């Protein structure tokens, strides 16, 4: 700080000396003011930079939020971005937001226009409408400042794709048109030559107009198509087909002379090559026509032989049907009678009808007819032989399919009856069983218990019964429906039919299902019983049932059924369990006891002692009634 100047008295010094002005403080204030301004400028500069940076970030964020993607459709839309007017961040915000938005739209439009070009690759007009609508929607949602830039970018990309789509569309359209006309020309050419071959001149003229029209249209769009050559080629084919029609007609009229006039006409054709036709091409036609005439001659000769062979084969088949009593087509009978009239086959046909009557007759009538023929001696020997042959065929057919044979022959007026094999109704079963008895009486003279199913029906049942998807319970259910008295179990494997019958007739449905289940396990090898185990099982069975208690076949069926029931509960690879097998035997066979010294089947709920007491107390009259 400046020192205080010392004061002198004026009167002392004799004069006035002004004191110097002290400017230090002013200078100091000026310095501070300058520094403050400088600091203010620096602060302003820093503030602007901070605001601008913040504006850029906020502009980017605004651009991002303006882009909206629909979660379900994936469609992209843009919300308007509002620009700022005041503040240091306004310009930065506006520039950043608009620049980012433009960048986003350019990138999205590249993808969207590409998608539209793929979607409308075969529809230029559709692409134009869709892309224009897309561009208008995007541009209209943008701030005016960037609308021209966005419009220019998207429209340029649309134009590039539009040109590509238009070019490809025109190429494909032209290609399809060429293909269509070419196909029409080819099919039309085939049709017009066919019509010429059969002599349909009106049809030729009509179709030719259409083909020529397609040729003219093709020539307009396909400069490489030689319409003159194509037209001449088609007319030459028509000419050749027309001549072939003429030759064939001449041959048929002169068939007795083997087509001599046709061959003469062909010779004249070979000497006159039509105008505009290459000689080599005409020679090929003549050669082909010669071959066709020769083939026609051969076919006509062979046809006579073939007709004779065909008639002979027809008669042989007809005789066989007649002799087996098959219902015949009336038209076949009329044809057969015309063919045999006045020939040696006329008597053969009469004999066949006699045999047919024999086949349709019942057993007693057939036996009488054969006796009558045998009584005629030599005169009846031929018919007798045919009757015997027919009887053999009847026996063969009955052994294989008695119901099917009876339905086919309609023997004894037995008409066919419907039967749902897998789910027959009670009425269907009753009717089929009734007819099975009629068939037995007709062919055997007694009820022999034939299979009530036809061979085809049996095959269907066996196939379903042995299918891998059927359950033992379903097998048992079907078996219960038919029982053991319908003769169907013979349709199954011979070695198993007794087991099936046992399962079918067992009163306990669980035992029935178990037998079927175990039979399947044994058949497929799921459960195996070796020779040693079979011997043990037989001993257990004999101990329980006794010897000679049932007939041999029943003995085997019961033993096999017991083994099947045992197998249904046996585990894989388990040792033989005699106790479990004995339990299976008891379930299958039922209660067996010793009554009056003999192994005897006991009625349900009746003990050995009760049965013994009954016999001990039986009166003579009760004994007589029981036998």
């Amino acid at each position: 700080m400046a020192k205080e100047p010392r004061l002198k008295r004026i009167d002392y010094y004799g004069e006035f000396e002004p004191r110097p002005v002290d400017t230090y403080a002013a200078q100091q204030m000026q310095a501070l003011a300058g520094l403050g301004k400088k600091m203010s400028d620096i602060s302003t500069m820093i503030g602007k930079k901070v605001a601008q940076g913040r504006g850029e970030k906020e502009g980017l964020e605004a651009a991002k939020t303006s882009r909206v993607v629909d979660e379900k459709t994936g469609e992209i839309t843009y919300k308007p971005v509002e620009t700022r007017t005041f503040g240091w961040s306004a310009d930065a915000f506006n520039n950043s937001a608009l620049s980012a938005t433009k960048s986003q739209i350019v990138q999205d439009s590249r993808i969207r226009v590409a998608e539209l070009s793929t979607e409308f690759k075969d529809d230029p007009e559709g692409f134009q409408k869709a892309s224009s609508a897309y561009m208008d929607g995007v541009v209209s949602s943008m701030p005016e400042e960037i609308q021209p830039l966005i419009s220019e970018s998207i429209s340029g990309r649309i134009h590039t794709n539009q040109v590509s789509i238009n070019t490809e569309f025109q190429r494909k359209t032209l290609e399809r048109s060429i293909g269509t006309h070419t196909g029409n020309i080819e099919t039309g050419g085939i049709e017009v030559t066919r019509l010429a071959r059969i002599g349909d001149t009106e049809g030729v003229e009509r179709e030719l107009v259409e083909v020529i029209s397609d040729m003219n249209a093709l020539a307009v769009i396909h400069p490489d198509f030689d319409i003159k050559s194509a037209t001449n080629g088609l007319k030459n084919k028509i000419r050749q087909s027309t001549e072939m029609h003429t030759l064939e007609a001449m041959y048929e009229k002169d068939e007795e002379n083997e087509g001599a006039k046709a061959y003469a006409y062909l010779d004249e054709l070979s000497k006159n090559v039509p105008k505009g036709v290459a000689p080599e091409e005409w020679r090929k036609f003549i050669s082909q026509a010669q071959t066709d005439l020769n083939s026609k001659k051969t076919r006509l000769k062979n046809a006579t032989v073939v007709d004779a062979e065909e008639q002979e084969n027809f008669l042989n088949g007809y005789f066989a049907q007649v002799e087996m009593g098959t219902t015949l087509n009336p038209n076949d009978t009329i044809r057969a009678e015309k063919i045999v009239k006045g020939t040696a086959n006329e008597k053969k046909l009469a004999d066949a009808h006699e045999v047919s009557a024999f086949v349709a007759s019942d057993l007693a009538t057939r036996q009488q007819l054969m006796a009558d023929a045998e009584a005629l001696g030599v005169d009846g020997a031929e018919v007798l032989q045919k009757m015997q042959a027919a009887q053999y065929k009847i026996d063969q057919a009955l052994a294989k399919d008695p119901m099917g044979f009876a339905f086919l022959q309609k023997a004894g007026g037995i008409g066919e009856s419907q039967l749902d094999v897998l789910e027959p109704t009670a009425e269907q079963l009753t009717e089929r069983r009734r007819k099975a008895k009629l068939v037995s009486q007709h062919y055997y003279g007694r009820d022999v218990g034939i299979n009530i199913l036809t061979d085809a029906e049996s095959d269907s049942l066996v196939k379903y019964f042995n299918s891998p998807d059927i359950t033992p319970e379903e097998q048992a259910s079907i078996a219960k429906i038919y029982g053991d008295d319908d003769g169907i179990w013979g349709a199954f494997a011979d070695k198993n039919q007794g087991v099936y019958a046992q399962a079918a007739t067992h009163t306990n449905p669980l035992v029935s299902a178990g037998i079927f289940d175990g039979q399947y396990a044994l058949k497929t090898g799921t459960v195996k019983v070796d020779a040693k185990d079979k011997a043990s099982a037989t001993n257990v069975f004999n101990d329980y049932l006794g010897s000679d208690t049932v007939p041999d076949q029943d003995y085997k069926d019961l033993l096999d059924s017991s083994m099947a029931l045992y197998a249904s509960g046996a585990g894989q690879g388990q040792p033989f369990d005699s106790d479990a097998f004995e339990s299976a035997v008891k379930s299958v066979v039922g209660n067996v006891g010793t009554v009056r010294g003999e192994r005897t089947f006991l009625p349900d709920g009746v003990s050995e002692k009760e049965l013994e007491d009954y016999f001990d107390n039986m009166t003579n009259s009760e004994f007589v009634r029981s036998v």
Side-chain angles (χ1 to χ4, degrees), residues 163-312:
V163 171
S164 176
I165 291 174
N166 289 347
T167 302
E168 183 63 14
F169 180 78
Q170 291 172 358
R171 185 191 67 78
K172 289 183 177 179
T173 301
L174 178 61
E175 189 176 85
R176 283 195 296 269
S177 296
I178 291 174
T180 299
H181 289 307
T182 301
N184 290 343
I185 291 169
E186 290 177 353
T187 55
I190 293 172
E191 177 62 11
V192 78
T193 52
R194 183 191 70 83
L195 294 171
R197 184 66 180 260
I198 63 175
D200 186 352
T201 55
E202 292 183 1
V204 170
E205 293 178 0
R206 182 181 62 253
E207 290 295 329
L208 186 58
V209 170
E210 297 294 334
V211 177
I212 297 298
S213 176
D214 275 304
M215 286 183 175
N216 289 328
L218 181 59
V220 173
I221 62 175
H222 193 356
D224 294 334
F225 177 66
D226 188 347
I227 186 171
K228 182 177 180 181
S229 175
T231 303
N232 289 337
L234 177 60
K235 289 182 177 180
N236 186 41
K237 288 181 179 180
I238 294 173
R239 181 186 296 110
Q240 292 177 6
S241 296
T242 301
E243 294 293 3
M244 279 305 306
H245 172 72
T246 301
L247 287 167
E248 289 179 351
M250 293 178 69
Y251 189 100
E252 291 175 2
K253 289 181 179 179
D254 195 31
E255 195 174 304
E256 294 181 357
N257 297 320
E258 296 186 339
K261 292 182 179 180
Y263 280 102
Y265 180 73
L266 181 62
D267 186 53
E268 290 296 322
L269 286 177
S270 66
K271 299 174 183 178
N272 300 296
V273 180
K275 184 179 180 181
V277 179
E280 180 60 28
E281 183 179 354
W282 191 248
R283 279 195 296 272
K284 288 182 180 179
F285 162 68
I286 297 298
S287 176
Q288 182 62 49
Q290 178 82 42
T291 301
D292 288 353
L293 287 178
N294 292 342
S295 298
K296 190 174 185 65
K297 180 189 296 186
T298 303
R299 285 197 305 270
L300 289 172
K301 287 183 178 180
N302 292 339
T304 303
V305 177
V306 170
D307 285 345
E309 292 179 352
E310 195 276 332
Q311 287 184 357
E312 182 179 358

Side-chain angles (χ1 to χ4, degrees), residues 265-474:
Y265 180 73
L266 181 62
D267 186 53
E268 290 296 322
L269 286 177
S270 66
K271 299 174 183 178
N272 300 296
V273 180
K275 184 179 180 181
V277 179
E280 180 60 28
E281 183 179 354
W282 191 248
R283 279 195 296 272
K284 288 182 180 179
F285 162 68
I286 297 298
S287 176
Q288 182 62 49
Q290 178 82 42
T291 301
D292 288 353
L293 287 178
N294 292 342
S295 298
K296 190 174 185 65
K297 180 189 296 186
T298 303
R299 285 197 305 270
L300 289 172
K301 287 183 178 180
N302 292 339
T304 303
V305 177
V306 170
D307 285 345
E309 292 179 352
E310 195 276 332
Q311 287 184 357
E312 182 179 358
N313 292 333
F314 168 76
L315 285 178
N316 289 336
Y318 183 81
F319 288 150
Q321 288 181 308
V322 171
E323 290 171 357
M324 286 306 296
T326 304
T327 302
L328 300 169
N329 186 324
N331 293 330
D332 288 343
T333 300
I334 294 173
R335 182 185 177 192
E337 290 174 349
K338 286 182 178 179
I339 294 174
V340 302
K341 189 174 183 179
T343 68
N345 283 325
E346 195 167 8
K347 182 179 182 304
K348 186 176 181 180
L349 181 59
D351 290 346
H353 282 297
E354 191 170 346
V355 174
S356 177
F358 167 84
V359 173
S361 301
D362 58 21
L363 177 63
T365 303
R366 278 182 278 125
Q367 291 174 340
Q368 185 60 50
L369 289 173
M370 283 193 289
D372 292 344
E374 186 176 9
L376 293 175
V378 177
D379 293 336
E382 186 175 352
V383 174
L384 176 62
Q385 187 178 10
K386 290 181 179 181
M387 288 180 179
Q388 291 172 337
Q391 182 60 50
Y392 175 78
K393 291 179 181 179
I394 291 173
D395 293 339
Q396 293 293 104
L398 291 175
K400 183 178 184 299
D401 186 11
M403 290 304 294
F405 179 69
F407 288 156
L408 179 65
Q409 305 302 321
K410 293 183 174 56
I414 300 172
E416 187 172 357
S417 64
Q418 297 300 316
L419 180 68
D420 185 341
V421 178
L422 302 183
E423 295 181 358
T425 65
E427 293 78 7
Q428 289 176 340
L429 284 173
T430 299
E431 177 63 11
R432 185 60 71 88
R433 287 166 179 156
R434 185 183 72 83
K435 290 197 172 184
K437 291 183 179 180
L438 292 176
V439 170
S440 290
Q441 290 292 339
H442 182 85
Y443 286 112
Y444 298 99
R446 68 187 190 283
D447 186 2
V448 295
I450 63 173
N451 186 352
I452 67 169
L453 304 181
T454 65
D455 194 43
E457 290 170 340
S458 295
D459 286 345
S460 176
L461 178 64
V462 171
K463 183 178 180 180
Y464 175 72
F465 205 88
N466 292 325
S467 65
D469 297 329
I470 193 173
T471 66
E473 290 76 17
E474 289 173 329

Side-chain angles (χ1 to χ4, degrees), residues 514-534:
I515 293 174
F516 286 121
D517 184 43
Q519 187 67 27
Y520 183 77
L522 292 171
K523 182 176 68 174
T524 58
T526 304
V527 175
K528 296 182 180 179
V529 181
D530 57 25
K532 180 181 177 182
D533 292 340
K534 287 181 179 179

Side-chain angles (χ1 to χ4, degrees), residues 9 20 70 195 290 415 425 449 532 551 563 588 592:
R9 291 171 50 190
D70 190 300
L195 294 171
Q290 178 82 42
T425 65
K532 180 181 177 182
M563 184 61 73
V588 171
V592 178

Side-chain angles (χ1 to χ4, degrees), residues 67 74 76 78 104-119 127 134 157 161:
R67 183 175 185 267
I76 299 173
Y78 302 92
Q104 283 183 167
I105 293 175
V106 169
Q107 183 177 354
D108 290 340
S109 68
R110 181 180 295 111
I111 297 172
R112 183 53 181 156
V113 172
E115 290 175 345
L116 291 174
S117 65
T118 300
E119 182 180 352
F127 174 77
Y134 167 71
R157 187 165 291 110
N161 283 271

